[in-house]
Structure formats: structure tokens, C-alpha cells
Amino acid sequence: MRADVNMEATRSKQSVQLGHQTTDRRCTPCPDSGETGDLFKDQKVTAVVQRCNQDEGKSPQTSTPAEGKVRRSFVSLPALNPERVRTAKALADKAVKMHKVFYIQGPYPVIRAALRSRGWVEQRVHPPNHHAHQRHSDEGRASSNDAGDSDDDDDNSASVEKEQDPDGLYDLMSRLVRNEMVYFYWTNRRDAINNNSLQKEQITNHFAKAGSFTTKVGLCVNLRNLHWFDSADPDTFFPRCYRLGAEDEKHAFIEDYKRTACTSFLKYIVEREQGVQGEGRSHNIRAERKLTKRQSRPVVLSKMINSALKVCHQFLESLQHNDIDINLETPQTLTKEEWAEFINSYYLVVHGGAEIENSDHFVTCCKAMLQRLLEVSPQLHIDGIHNIWIIKPGAKSRGRGIKCTRRLDQILRLVDSDPTIIKESKWVVQKYLERPLLIYGTKFDVRQWFLVTDWNPLTVWFYKKCYLRFSTQPYSLDTLDSSVHLCNNSIQKHLRPSQQRHRGIPADNMWSDDQFRTFLSSQGQEAQWQTVVVPGMKRAVIHALQTTQDLMESRKNTFELYGADFMFGHDLRPWLLELNASPTMAPSTPVTARLCTAVQEDTLRVVLDWRADRTANTGDFQLIYRQAAVDVPQYVGVNLLVEGFKVKCPCPLPPLRSSNRSAPKRRRPVKEKEPAGEKVKPLPKMLLKSAEAPLKNISSGVLPPPPLPSEPPGPFPIETFTIQLPMTVKSIHLPISDQSHSVLLWKRRPEVSKVCSEKDQPCTTEKHQGPSLSLEINVSKQSRQATTSTLSA
């Protein structure tokens, strides 16, 4: 009895999952719906099984089958009614007919709710089919190098969403469309869907190969090519960056570090004379100087300043290309020993606070050099005096593995410790913004969203809203700990805010853009939000995408939402730090709960509503860039074709004399009739007299050369004359009569009288005469001897 009940319940459950219409002899289906009878049967069988299990004290999931029967898992179904089934089937059929079936991977309740409000039905991957979906994901899994930077928290992605579905309507509709095609994919990982296997009408939220700009290495390399796309300078919005895995870039970084140490020392001398307190410096400098004074050796200030000025002067000369004539054997500005001495003295003075002699009489020359450097170095203001650099792993996100350091040997030692990363060139070192804009003495960065809906033509949407992320500790350069210098929420959420931090910063470490604008208004800088901040962020985003456009795979019906991280200087100029794919949408704070919900809803407004109706509301998204469509030629590397136009000769030569005989098909020479009463001179005398003059008996047409016979035709030898003409004629064979020794020309073919025929024959123009060509004339004599002479005309 129990075995029959279990088998009946399992069979009824499978019929509902597969969406098939099932009839049973003992249960008549409802006439309104082919599945209603089965659902009622499932409900009755489930109730019987549950009662039996309760009597034995067992749960429905762990019921033991009878002997000889296969053990099967059983999940109880919710109570159903025919009205709900009819409603679910009608909605599902309508969604399938209108191509409104979607699939979501990850906890995105806002996307689910927004799609359902538009009549979409979700196709879920239920536990029995989880492995099948996993196989599909593995087929389209991209390489790790293309993963890009994603700050979507893994903990949030792994969590299972518990949505409100009390009547089970959404679950029922999901089962009804389980075998239908999905027309909208939203996933939190790029490799979850293989774009190559999608059909044209299917929409997905990730572009392929976006790692060219969403990784730190890709952004660092591509922005150097900005001059090919725009006249902007990347050094005006992106701190200079180097790949330490590449040997040439590693050498360039070392040179940059040394040069920055020189400029930093000059700024230190000027600020020391002016009594300027360095940004983030500790107020207890005297105690620090006493500690290092016993360990430091005497520093020759004049020698350090002289070395710094020489290095800066050489840098300016190289920018102006004045060093182009310098001999390679010319000694460098500073030798290796002098550089080592300067760097060590710089550490003692700037980092260690060692005492130096009075430098008032050096301030003037230092100021003059800094003023010259300011004209060519847009990052001089943010460099500071400590020469701090930030080291980032190339393909990690959420602040993992990022470190700040100020010593050259530490940077090189940290990178050289992992040969695998060096081999793959994944380490990047970037100049740290030592003097950022602070709010109440605390560092912050800005998360700004933008949306790309097409790569050809490049179409960029900029979101009007953003939010600020604060660090939990007050800003200071005395320590380089991540809690002070990294504002990622994934790092700061695990730390307790410092007691020394200003009370105006909230405990959740976040501000909205409206709160920031209120702060700017209190500082008298509210107008700069629209004149400096927003335009600067838009330009940085557009320039970063321009340099990547040729590397992206453009696919229609594809879009992607990105998150850009910015920091501001004292002049509110935005500096781009990195670009992130799959930005986190977790409602971690009240600010993100409100803004992340809005940006997801507005994304669907652009992707679905605006695409169907250009007058639709796009929320806070603003179209900031739309490039003209570019036709990309299909290039496979072979069979290249160059097309052109033929050029007509403006100065034709005189035509040939008329002839009553036409040339044969094989272009054999034809004798021309001699006019009556005209006496022809012997050939050698005529040719010698006309040695300095061009031939006038050849028409302007390009005469094709007949093939040269391997042996002389006939029993007589052939004498060849080479004549240089203004036009290109390869060869003409003229047989000479053995009686009169005169030159006999033949009649031109009509097809060779065209100027610049389709054959590869050059011709002259009005201003430039083409290359002269050789005209070979074959002359036959009775004599056995053959002579060859060259005649140039």
C-alpha cells in the first residue's frame, strides 16, 4: 500500500515538473485545463503521504520505500487551486508568445521584480537540473585573464534569495516555461553564458573580452594609446602606471621613481621654507627627528639640490627634444653611485625627518624649476613629497593584494617574490595620490556607474547619481595601512571606525552625492560639481572606452553595467583609479540600498523600454556619447586587394603612319607600304642622325611587346637596337628589308591604341614625365655578322 502511494506521488510530481498533460483512469482532468486534474491528484496524494509519514514519525523527504523498490527523493508541493493554475498557464503562454522569458543568476530581486512587472516569466534552474546548467556554464567559461575586475561580493552572490511567493504562482510559471528559450540573461559572472552560442534575439548583460579595460593591466596599457583616438592627455585624469612584469616598463618605472624623488625633494625645500605642513603628516615631527638624528649621517644639502636640479633639467630637455644630438657615449647625469647616495639622503631627510642646514638661499632656484615642471607635468600637484606608490595585482578586485610603499627596494622586492605573477605581467605599480581631497580629514573615493549598450557605434550612458565611500581611519602618511588608504567597502566593513575620526562621517562610511554636494556648498564650491567634477568623470570614462573599442567583440542585444572608481584632488579634478565589471548591488547601507535599486531599474528602462520606444523614460541615465557607426572590413590575412583608377596621359605622341594591312593575331610585324616617289635612307645613317631626338613615328598608344623568339627567324642574323623613349614600351621587333635596308613599321592594333590600358603600363602626366623605356628594333641583313648598337632618344 505505501509503495503504491509513493510511486503515485512521484509520478504525479514528475508530470507537473515536465509540464506534460497527464491523464489517469482513476482521475479525470478538469475540462478547463489539461493539468488541473493532475494537480488535484498531486494534492491528494501528497496529503496521504504526509499523513502516513507523520504516523511513523518520518519526514516526507526521508520516507523509506518498500523492499525491491528504487529509492527516490520526494518534495511536497504547495496547495494548489484550479484558478491559480489557469492564471499561471495564461501568463506563461503569453510570455512565451511575446518572447518574455528571462533567467537570472545571483541575488538580484530588483531585476526580478522589474521584469515581472513588464510581463516577463523567469526560467529557474531547479535543484534536479543544477548539474545540467553547470555543464552549460563550463562550456562557455572564459579564461581567467578575461575575468576582469568585479567587486561583486562572493558572499552576496552565494546567498540564496528568499523571495515572497506565498501562493507559489512564480514557481509554477517557472516550471511551465522550463523548456522554452530564454530571451534575457542577467548573470553576475561573464563566463556563466557563452555569447557565441546565443541567438541574435537573446539579450545578455555581459560583453565578451571586457578584460581589456576592466583589469588594471588592460587599463594601464590601453590608455597609452589615447593619442590615436583623441587629443587628450591620459596624465590629466589617470595616475601614471607601469607593468612591472615587462622589463622595459620596469626600467621606465625606476627612472620615474628617481625623477619623482628629485621633484619631491625640491618641493620639500620650498614647503619647509614656507612652513607648510605636509598633507597627512604627523604633528609630532620633532620626536621623529630626534629618533632618526642619531642614526642619520650628515647630509650635504647643496649637493642634493644640485643633483635634483640637474635631473629635472635633463627631463625638460628630453621633453623638448633638445637631447636628440647627444652622443650615446656622453656620461649620464648621475652615476649609479651618485643615485644611490641621493636616494639614501632623500629617505633620511623626507621620510626620516633628518635635520638639514638652512636652505633659504636655495629656495629661489627650486621654485623656478618647479614652475617649469608644472607646465609639463599635470600630476605634480598630486605627487606630494613622500614618493608613495601603490602596487596592485593585475586581475584582483575589492582591494585584495593592494599595498602602498615608499621605498624603491621594497617595491622591487615585493614584485620579484612571485615569479609566476612576473611572468604573466600582472603586477602594476601606480603613482599614489598623496594629496587628495579630504572630508573632515578622512580619505574617500567615489563609485560612479555607467552603461555601455553597444560598441559599434560606441554608445555610453552616464548615471547622474553616485555615492562616496570613506575609510574608517583618519588620513595620515605616517602609516601605509590599508585601513587608512583603501576605501573599498569590502575592506572597511570589517573594521571599527576610529575614535579620532570626525563625527560628521557616518558609521556606515557612505555618503550619497546629494550629501557631498551639500558639503561642497558649505565650502563655497557647489558650482564646481557641474563644471569640474561631472564633466571630468564623463571625459575619463569616454577616453577609457575609446582606447578599448577595437579590442571588444561587439554584439547586438548585449549591454553591460560598469562601476568606475574616482578620487578628487584639491581642485576637485577627478582622477580615474579603475573600472569594475559586475559592480556590487548589495544593499549594505541605506545609501546603497536606495541607489543600487534605482540604477538597476533604470538599466532596464534603457535596455528594454528605450530600445523599443525612443521617447521612453530612462531614469537618471544620460546618453553622453554615441559614435558614428564604423564599417569594419572582414580581414582574414590573405587575398588583399588594392583598387584604383587608371590615369590618362595628357600629352599623347604623334600617331603612326597609316597602313593598308592590319597586324596579325599573334602580333607579328606587318610591312607598311611605302609612298610612291619617296626615297628611304639607309637605316644606320637615319638612326645615327636621330640619336638625340625622340621618335616621332610612334603613336601615343602603349604597344604590347611581342614575345622574343629563342632563335632568329629565318636564315639571316638579327641586329638589335635599343631606343629610349619617354613612354614605356617593352619591345618592338621591326624586320628590315634586305633590299632597301629601310625601317618598315607595322600598323597598330585597335585594342592597343588605348592610353593606360588595363595592363600594368605606366604613363606620363602633365607635370611629370614617366620613366623612359626601351624600344628594341630587329634589323636583318644579308651579311652573316650581327652588330648591336644602343640609341637613346
Side-chain angles (χ1 to χ4, degrees):
M1 174 63 184
R2 286 189 50 80
D4 295 338
V5 172
N6 287 336
M7 291 180 61
E8 183 70 24
T10 304
R11 184 168 60 250
S12 301
K13 174 179 177 295
Q14 292 176 350
S15 66
V16 175
Q17 288 181 343
L18 297 176
H20 294 162
Q21 296 182 0
T22 306
T23 58
D24 193 275
R25 296 179 181 178
R26 294 170 295 174
C27 183
T28 303
C30 176
D32 296 335
S33 174
E35 298 180 359
T36 308
D38 294 330
L39 297 174
F40 275 127
K41 181 177 61 178
D42 291 337
Q43 183 177 352
K44 295 178 181 179
V45 173
T46 301
V48 173
V49 174
Q50 289 178 347
R51 285 196 301 269
C52 295
N53 289 333
Q54 289 175 0
D55 295 339
E56 299 181 6
K58 298 181 181 179
S59 60
Q61 288 81 359
T62 59
S63 58
T64 304
E67 273 188 39
K69 301 294 181 180
V70 179
R71 182 184 180 91
R72 298 182 181 180
S73 61
F74 177 79
V75 180
S76 60
L77 298 176
L80 301 177
N81 59 70
E83 185 64 29
R84 185 165 56 250
V85 173
R86 284 193 295 267
T87 302
K89 192 173 187 307
L91 294 176
D93 292 342
K94 182 179 179 180
V96 172
K97 184 178 180 180
M98 298 182 65
H99 295 178
K100 289 187 175 183
V101 179
F102 71 93
Y103 168 81
I104 289 182
Q105 180 193 51
Y108 294 100
V110 177
I111 299 297
R112 284 187 173 91
L115 289 174
R116 287 168 179 169
S117 65
R118 291 171 169 82
W120 289 71
V121 175
E122 181 180 6
Q123 182 187 97
R124 296 180 180 176
V125 178
H126 297 279
N129 292 338
H130 176 71
H131 299 288
H133 173 70
Q134 186 66 29
R135 288 194 302 268
H136 173 70
S137 300
D138 293 339
E139 291 175 359
R141 188 170 301 277
S143 63
S144 59
N145 295 334
D146 187 46
D149 288 353
S150 171
D151 65 349
D152 195 2
D153 201 335
D154 294 335
D155 297 337
N156 295 330
S157 301
S159 62
V160 179
E161 178 192 359
K162 297 180 180 180
E163 62 178 347
Q164 299 296 328
D165 188 15
D167 54 359
L169 183 63
Y170 296 144
D171 185 71
L172 180 58
M173 289 190 298
S174 176
R175 295 177 182 274
L176 294 175
V177 299
R178 60 178 301 177
N179 295 323
E180 302 295 335
M181 178 184 290
V182 175
Y183 290 93
F184 186 92
Y185 286 97
W186 183 291
T187 63
N188 54 2
R189 290 293 182 268
R190 180 176 293 105
D191 54 6
I193 301 296
N194 185 5
N195 289 0
N196 296 327
S197 64
L198 296 179
Q199 297 187 12
K200 184 178 180 181
E201 60 272 17
Q202 291 178 295
I203 304 174
T204 180
N205 70 322
H206 287 294
F207 288 101
K209 296 184 179 180
S212 55
F213 72 99
T214 57
T215 59
K216 301 174 180 64
V217 174
L219 187 64
C220 172
V221 173
N222 291 328
L223 281 178
R224 298 174 187 170
N225 301 323
L226 181 59
H227 61 276
W228 295 107
F229 303 90
D230 199 279
S231 59
D233 184 6
D235 287 343
T236 59
F237 63 88
F238 183 69
R240 54 194 186 276
C241 184
Y242 301 93
R243 291 181 303 162
L244 293 180
E247 193 63 30
D248 55 341
E249 294 191 30
K250 180 180 179 180
H251 178 72
F253 158 68
I254 296 175
E255 294 297 324
D256 193 345
Y257 182 91
K258 294 177 179 179
R259 185 173 58 252
T260 305
C262 295
T263 58
S264 299
F265 183 73
L266 295 180
K267 287 193 290 185
Y268 175 82
I269 297 299
V270 174
E271 294 177 0
R272 179 175 179 271
E273 187 271 338
Q274 297 176 350
V276 178
Q277 176 75 24
E279 194 71 60
R281 289 287 295 175
S282 172
H283 296 282
N284 193 13
I285 299 180
R286 292 184 178 180
E288 182 182 359
R289 287 180 176 177
K290 290 181 180 180
L291 181 63
T292 59
K293 187 175 181 180
R294 293 173 294 180
Q295 303 174 355
S296 63
R297 58 182 178 179
V299 176
V300 182
L301 181 61
S302 59
K303 186 177 181 180
M304 290 189 62
I305 294 179
N306 183 45
S307 299
L309 291 176
K310 287 171 60 178
V311 172
C312 294
H313 178 74
Q314 183 187 20
F315 174 67
L316 293 174
E317 291 290 315
S318 64
L319 292 180
Q320 298 175 0
H321 304 289
N322 294 332
D323 60 342
I324 193 172
D325 296 329
I326 296 180
N327 192 353
L328 296 178
E329 298 179 357
T330 304
Q332 297 181 355
T333 305
L334 298 180
T335 63
K336 185 177 181 180
E337 293 75 14
E338 290 175 341
W339 266 121
E341 182 181 358
F342 177 83
I343 294 296
N344 291 331
S345 301
Y346 168 77
Y347 291 156
L348 293 174
V349 174
V350 179
H351 297 171
E355 292 287 351
I356 58 176
E357 61 189 61
N358 189 8
S359 59
D360 294 344
H361 54 284
F362 295 110
V363 173
T364 303
C365 57
C366 294
K367 283 184 178 180
M369 179 57 68
L370 291 175
Q371 186 62 33
R372 294 178 57 189
L373 291 172
L374 186 61
E375 298 175 358
V376 297
S377 302
Q379 299 185 13
L380 189 64
H381 283 308
I382 65 173
D383 283 347
I385 63 175
H386 297 277
N387 204 7
I388 300 176
W389 294 75
I390 183 169
I391 305 174
K392 305 178 181 179
K396 291 186 179 181
S397 61
R398 302 193 298 275
R400 294 173 296 177
I402 296 180
K403 296 182 179 180
C404 297
T405 183
R406 56 167 64 96
R407 296 181 63 95
L408 179 61
D409 54 346
Q410 294 177 355
I411 297 175
L412 300 179
R413 190 184 312 116
L414 178 64
V415 177
D416 295 338
S417 61
D418 194 340
T420 303
I421 297 181
I422 283 293
K423 182 179 179 180
E424 298 177 358
S425 300
K426 288 187 176 182
W427 279 108
V428 296
V429 58
Q430 191 173 30
K431 186 64 186 72
Y432 183 72
L433 276 72
E434 298 183 21
R435 296 180 174 177
L437 178 67
L438 304 178
I439 296 180
Y440 300 132
T442 306
K443 183 182 175 182
F444 69 96
D445 65 5
V446 176
R447 167 56 57 89
Q448 176 65 59
W449 292 296
F450 64 94
L451 177 68
V452 178
T453 55
D454 203 343
W455 284 99
N456 185 21
L458 180 59
T459 308
V460 187
W461 298 77
F462 187 84
Y463 203 63
K464 299 178 182 178
K465 299 292 184 180
C466 60
Y467 64 92
L468 281 65
R469 303 177 298 188
F470 293 93
S471 62
T472 55
Q473 312 298 320
Y475 184 71
S476 174
L477 293 179
D478 293 337
T479 176
L480 300 180
D481 190 78
S482 300
S483 61
V484 178
H485 302 282
L486 298 183
C487 301
N488 303 68
N489 184 60
S490 57
I491 294 178
Q492 300 295 337
K493 68 181 181 181
H494 300 293
L495 303 175
R496 180 177 299 177
S498 173
Q499 297 295 331
Q500 287 75 28
R501 197 178 67 168
H502 195 275
R503 302 302 179 186
I505 300 176
D508 55 16
N509 305 319
M510 286 193 184
W511 265 10
S512 65
D513 60 316
D514 295 330
Q515 293 173 293
F516 180 58
R517 295 173 66 177
T518 303
F519 171 79
L520 293 179
S521 179
S522 64
Q523 304 293 322
Q525 297 177 316
E526 182 180 9
Q528 296 188 25
W529 173 261
Q530 294 295 340
T531 59
V532 179
V533 177
V534 175
M537 291 192 295
K538 290 180 179 179
R539 285 193 298 267
V541 167
I542 293 174
H543 292 332
L545 298 179
Q546 284 177 328
T547 59
T548 314
Q549 184 178 7
D550 295 340
L551 305 176
M552 296 295 298
E553 290 186 0
S554 179
R555 179 189 178 274
K556 302 300 179 182
N557 287 331
T558 306
F559 68 97
E560 189 157 6
L561 182 67
Y562 301 99
D565 294 340
F566 289 94
M567 286 183 60
F568 299 150
H570 283 286
D571 55 355
L572 286 177
R573 177 189 298 181
W575 294 90
L576 177 63
L577 302 181
E578 61 184 18
L579 299 176
N580 296 277
S582 300
T584 178
M585 294 295 163
S588 55
T589 65
V591 174
T592 56
R594 176 171 54 87
L595 293 181
C596 292
T597 300
V599 72
Q600 292 178 80
E601 294 176 347
D602 293 343
T603 299
L604 294 182
R605 289 190 176 101
V606 174
V607 174
L608 299 179
D609 302 343
W610 185 83
R611 180 174 298 182
D613 181 10
R614 299 294 178 173
T615 62
N617 179 26
T618 59
D620 286 324
F621 271 113
Q622 177 187 5
L623 181 62
I624 62 171
Y625 188 80
R626 182 175 176 83
Q627 188 185 49
V630 179
D631 294 333
V632 180
Q634 295 182 356
Y635 170 66
V636 293
V638 294
N639 298 329
L640 297 180
L641 176 64
V642 178
E643 297 181 354
F645 300 93
K646 56 185 179 181
V647 180
K648 294 183 178 180
C649 295
C651 301
L653 295 176
L656 293 173
R657 289 180 294 179
S658 61
S659 175
N660 295 331
R661 298 178 63 184
S662 59
K665 293 182 179 181
R666 296 180 60 85
R667 301 179 183 176
R668 295 293 183 182
V670 179
K671 296 183 178 180
E672 184 183 15
K673 292 185 178 181
E674 299 181 9
E678 183 178 358
K679 188 176 181 180
V680 181
K681 296 181 180 180
L683 175 63
K685 295 182 180 180
M686 179 196 67
L687 294 177
L688 292 176
K689 289 182 179 181
S690 59
E692 303 296 332
L695 293 181
K696 297 183 179 181
N697 294 329
I698 306 300
S699 68
S700 60
V702 178
L703 302 179
L708 292 176
S710 59
E711 298 181 356
F716 303 103
I718 296 177
E719 188 175 8
T720 303
F721 295 87
T722 302
I723 304 176
Q724 302 294 331
L725 297 181
M727 292 196 55
T728 302
V729 180
K730 292 184 179 179
S731 63
I732 302 175
H733 299 274
L734 301 178
I736 305 301
S737 175
D738 55 345
Q739 297 290 337
S740 59
H741 301 281
S742 60
V743 179
L744 299 180
L745 303 177
W746 63 88
K747 185 178 179 181
R748 296 181 294 107
R749 279 187 177 183
E751 60 271 13
V752 301
S753 62
K754 298 180 182 180
V755 180
C756 295
S757 63
E758 287 74 15
K759 295 185 178 181
D760 300 334
Q761 302 286 348
C763 58
T764 60
T765 57
E766 293 182 357
K767 297 183 179 180
H768 176 72
Q769 295 295 332
S772 62
L773 70 150
S774 300
L775 176 63
E776 297 181 359
I777 302 177
N778 298 329
V779 183
S780 62
K781 293 184 178 181
Q782 292 180 351
S783 60
R784 298 179 179 179
Q785 299 179 354
T787 58
T788 303
S789 60
T790 303
L791 181 62
S792 299

